[in-house]
Each structure stands twice: as C-alpha cells, then as structure tokens.
Amino acid sequence: QVQLVESGGGLVQAGGSLRLSCVASGIIFRVSAAAWYHQAPGNQRELVARITSDGSINYADSVKGRFTISRDNAKNTVYLQMNSLKPEDTAVYYCNAVKFENPYWGQGTQVTVSS
C-alpha cells in the first residue's frame, strides 16, 4: 500500500521560506517520478514541480528561480524548498507519485503567506 505523508507547511510572511517534506512508503522515489502540486481555494490543483526517476526536473513558470525540488533516496523523501514566498503561493500543497500508472496523493499541507 502506497502512503505519502507531507509535512513542513505553515504560516510565513512574504519573502520568507519553507521546506516541505514528503515521506513515502510502498513506493520507491528512486525509481518513480514524484511531484508537488498546489491547490488554492476555488482553483484546480496545479503542478508546482516534478522530479523523475532519472533526476530530470521541471517547474511551473510561477515558481522558477524560487522553489527547488529534491530527493533523498536513503530517506525515500522528496522535498520542496520554497524561497521568496509570495501571498499568491498560499495553497494546500500535495505530494504526488505514480506507481504502475496509478497516481497516489498525500493528505496535503497548508502553506499560508501573509503580505
């Protein structure tokens, strides 16, 4: 059974930083793609950043230069380092992974950026 558990969200002032973590069980990030999505109230869930099994990375245009996705294979954990946060980054952030073509989601962690 695949389980993804996010942590690290919170309330931060504009310009601040947060690091989100996603710990996985039942799936190995080293051989699977992983991604972070966010969803603001009234909006669709959107891709923020993605890292493939071979280490290829892509980001949404809105976070390029500010966010960094990374992976610790020994801890089977994916991180999202978020710097220079803006109020428009406020959303619930979800970890996503795919195993045998089936998508799995964490429970989400709230990020709130005050102006």
Side-chain angles (χ1 to χ4, degrees):
Q1 182 177 357
V2 176
Q3 188 173 16
L4 305 175
V5 180
E6 303 104 331
S7 62
L11 173 64
V12 64
Q13 288 187 333
S17 299
L18 286 173
R19 188 176 81 154
L20 306 183
S21 300
C22 174
V23 180
S25 59
I27 191 170
I28 300 175
F29 281 143
R30 179 172 52 83
V31 297
S32 301
W36 288 96
Y37 286 71
H38 68 192
Q39 186 169 18
N43 291 353
Q44 291 187 335
R45 195 170 296 188
E46 299 176 333
L47 177 68
V48 175
R50 185 173 183 265
I51 181 168
T52 65
S53 57
D54 65 0
S56 298
I57 290 172
N58 63 284
Y59 296 99
D61 288 342
S62 60
V63 307
K64 284 181 181 176
R66 299 188 299 122
F67 290 11
T68 303
I69 189 171
S70 62
R71 182 179 65 214
D72 185 329
N73 293 334
K75 295 181 179 180
N76 206 30
T77 300
V78 172
Y79 302 98
L80 184 68
Q81 177 67 44
M82 306 186 294
N83 298 329
S84 302
L85 282 160
K86 304 175 180 180
E88 51 264 42
D89 296 320
T90 295
V92 178
Y93 284 72
Y94 295 92
C95 181
N96 166 270
V98 178
K99 182 177 182 180
F100 301 137
E101 301 184 352
N102 295 313
Y104 294 90
W105 298 91
Q107 81 286 355
T109 184
Q110 176 71 46
V111 171
T112 303
V113 184
S114 62
S115 58

